[in-house]
Amino acid sequence: MDMNELKALTFDDAIKQIEDGMIVGIGSGSTIELLIPALAKQLRNQQKHITSVCTSKKTAMLVENEGIPVMDVNEVEQIHLAIDGADEVDPELNLIKGGGGALFREKVIDAKADRFIVLIDESKQVEYLGASFKLPVEVDQFNWIMLSKQLEKDLSSRVERRMMDDEPFVTDNGNYILDIQLEKPMNAYDLHEYLIHLVGVLETGLFLDVTDQVIVGTQQGVKVLNRE
Ligand code: 5RP
């Protein structure tokens, strides 16, 4: 099976957790873009109606195109369930996210949800966060060079401003993403605490203690990991 087939293996286990009337957080990235039409089809077949809150402008557009209502996150009292992808998942179900640059809105919605489930293919499972993926951090444009230099010095790691089509990548919030190539395993909690207090940092791609379930598409079938 190719990557997309592995991702698609996870969809049924996720969709069956959606109940009629729920407010559902919908994440961002290629997994979620594959999920959206499958979700819309199953909702139509089962005559279930949900309202969504979306973690990026792109996701909101795709969801609306499928006829699923989208609400502003500020207008909902509760998010019953959030579904998202991830770039890395460690054995404690902590995550690195932000490969698509939507990490701030993802954290707002995923962390606020009563239940947060993550859909990945098996290549995303790692021994420690930062093992294979650069850690994204969303920063203000004003002092991004100052921040990059400080991070390189303090973390002894390479830092790059994310680019797209030869232009700086700009998030839905008008900010830049700095990608940190962690040189060695670090305590993710300490690292998040250090980063989040720097002036100019909006949010980090470390999603710690927020995941309830990870559904993994593997060559051997679906594996479901629950938070202990
Ligand atoms: C976007 C994200 C995505 O969930 C993450 O990058 C995984 O993406 P994909 O489903 O394309 O592998 O965090 O900001």
Side-chain angles (χ1 to χ4, degrees):
M1 279 181 279
D2 68 21
M3 288 295 193
N4 285 347
E5 288 168 326
L6 293 180
K7 288 171 181 174
L9 281 183
T10 64
F11 294 170
D12 281 346
D13 281 282
I15 294 171
K16 73 180 181 207
Q17 299 184 45
I18 297 178
E19 293 168 19
D20 191 38
M22 274 186 167
I23 297 176
V24 180
I26 314 272
S28 301
S30 61
T31 311
I32 297 301
E33 287 171 25
L34 290 169
L35 171 77
I36 290 167
L39 167 65
K41 190 171 167 199
Q42 289 210 32
L43 291 174
R44 280 193 297 272
N45 289 345
Q46 297 166 21
Q47 300 201 328
K48 282 185 189 164
H49 301 277
I50 64 163
T51 301
S52 70
V53 285
C54 295
T55 61
S56 64
K57 292 178 183 172
K58 186 172 183 196
T59 295
M61 186 195 72
L62 296 171
V63 167
E64 269 181 335
N65 285 347
E66 290 289 348
I68 298 172
V70 177
M71 270 181 88
D72 186 318
V73 74
N74 293 296
E75 290 169 3
V76 300
E77 290 301 321
Q78 189 178 10
I79 301 167
H80 298 98
L81 176 72
I83 304 174
D84 209 340
D87 300 299
E88 285 189 348
V89 179
D90 79 4
E92 277 74 49
L93 309 191
N94 287 329
L95 318 172
I96 284 185
K97 286 185 50 55
L103 62 99
F104 171 70
R105 295 185 186 202
E106 290 172 338
K107 198 170 280 190
V108 168
I109 288 174
D110 298 343
K112 167 86 180 154
D114 296 345
R115 181 169 170 75
F116 173 38
I117 58 181
V118 174
L119 312 183
I120 55 166
D121 66 73
E122 59 192 339
S123 71
K124 308 285 184 70
Q125 288 187 286
V126 293
E127 280 305 308
Y128 64 91
L129 296 179
S132 63
F133 201 82
K134 292 176 193 156
L135 173 64
V137 178
E138 180 161 351
V139 302
D140 197 282
Q141 294 196 21
F142 183 70
N143 61 335
W144 77 270
I145 296 179
M146 286 171 72
L147 273 171
S148 297
K149 287 181 183 163
Q150 185 173 352
L151 295 177
E152 288 199 322
K153 186 162 146 279
D154 291 353
L155 301 175
S156 307
S157 296
R158 241 187 98 165
V159 178
E160 290 165 2
R161 176 176 56 167
R162 189 173 302 176
M163 303 293 285
M164 188 181 253
D165 301 329
D166 291 332
E167 296 288 332
F169 174 85
V170 177
T171 70
D172 282 354
N173 316 303
N175 298 316
Y176 288 152
I177 298 286
L178 299 182
D179 290 304
I180 308 173
Q181 176 78 64
L182 295 171
E183 290 307 327
K184 55 178 189 313
M186 293 185 73
N187 180 300
Y189 296 88
D190 292 344
L191 182 56
H192 175 80
E193 273 306 297
Y194 157 73
L195 290 167
I196 202 68
H197 295 296
L198 296 173
V199 175
V201 169
L202 177 65
E203 194 45 85
T204 83
L206 290 164
F207 283 50
L208 309 176
D209 299 329
V210 293
T211 310
D212 292 296
Q213 184 175 75
V214 178
I215 306 175
V216 193
T218 80
Q219 296 294 350
Q220 289 74 42
V222 182
K223 204 165 66 179
V224 178
L225 309 172
N226 291 301
R227 179 145 63 136
E228 286 175 9

